[in-house]
Amino acid sequence: MRSLTLPAPAKLNLMLHILGRRADGYHELQTLFQFLDHGDELTFTPRSDGQIRLHTELPGVDHDSNLIVRAARQLQAASGTALGADIQLLKRLPMGGGIGGGSSDAATTLVGLDHLWQTRLGEDRLAQIGLSLGADVPVFVLGHAAFAEGVGERLQKVQLSEPWFLVIAPQVSVSTAEIFSDPELTRNTPAITVRSLLAGGGRNDCQPVVEKRYPEVRNALSLLNKFVPARMTGTGACVFGSFPNKGEADKVCRQLPDHMPGFVAQGRNVSMLHRKLAKMAQEVNA
């Protein structure tokens, strides 16, 4: 039994509309997901004793509360496997950044351990398990750019252009629960169709609330807007702008001040997790 190393890619919400609040307290959303060729990396080594051990500590996150550990244990329960895993995490994505770090880690854990343990639950079942961990987990499990509705669980594949993005990560962690409970949050945006969205439209309804609460995010948007139209992803804190090529994005990235770290990555319709799995399958069948 050997180790398996897989990426956990970042995502961007290219738009995020909030249509209303449901009786259960969750919000009805419309959002457009695209992946980035940049992310965390996880290494899984199977154990025969059923124990789940994450060997990378995250500040302020208890081992058993980590989404990676919870995902692994949910997969154990759903599949009935007697196997466990040692897990190493190489963390590149900021926590509380709105680019899917925790959700992507959980999805890669589900997909990776399903592969390693040979539980063969299939993507749809894994996505269902993922939804119980977080609304963004299913899109990472399925691995294709998508228009999402409901709380983010109803996904429709889309084909988007794949520009280069500059992502700025303000040094602040934004609480999603705090933003969604803010009384000033827009909750009545009319629903739109995929066709009208792809023709050019959409905004992030959370952005005005976050800008008001977090000057670091407001300053990052102001800076990036000097070069290209800038927008916040998810509930923040990361902001992004698109560029026609890597050179243009790198040029602006080099001008960022030290207190506004950023990275350049290409937008992708198929996540690098799924491209890695496809490559592994080709090598096995070769």
Side-chain angles (χ1 to χ4, degrees), residues 17-19 27 182-189 203 205 208-209:
H17 290 178
I18 302 174
L19 281 54
H27 287 78
D182 193 298
E184 294 186 20
L185 181 66
T186 298
R187 295 182 173 88
N188 60 354
T189 296
R203 60 177 185 269
D205 283 335
V209 173

Side-chain angles (χ1 to χ4, degrees), residues 17-78:
H17 290 178
I18 302 174
L19 281 54
R21 181 184 275 172
R22 308 189 319 187
D24 61 8
Y26 287 96
H27 287 78
E28 286 284 338
L29 311 173
Q30 287 186 319
T31 189
L32 188 61
F33 289 110
Q34 189 174 36
F35 302 102
L36 295 175
D37 271 356
H38 180 79
D40 295 342
E41 189 173 86
L42 291 108
T43 298
F44 307 96
T45 306
R47 297 173 61 115
S48 58
D49 61 2
Q51 292 293 309
I52 301 297
R53 290 281 180 263
L54 175 62
H55 296 279
T56 309
E57 290 187 15
L58 294 179
V61 181
D62 178 71
H63 177 274
D64 289 353
S65 301
N66 192 296
L67 280 176
I68 294 169
V69 175
R70 291 171 57 198
R73 289 177 176 162
Q74 292 229 20
L75 182 61
Q76 282 181 319

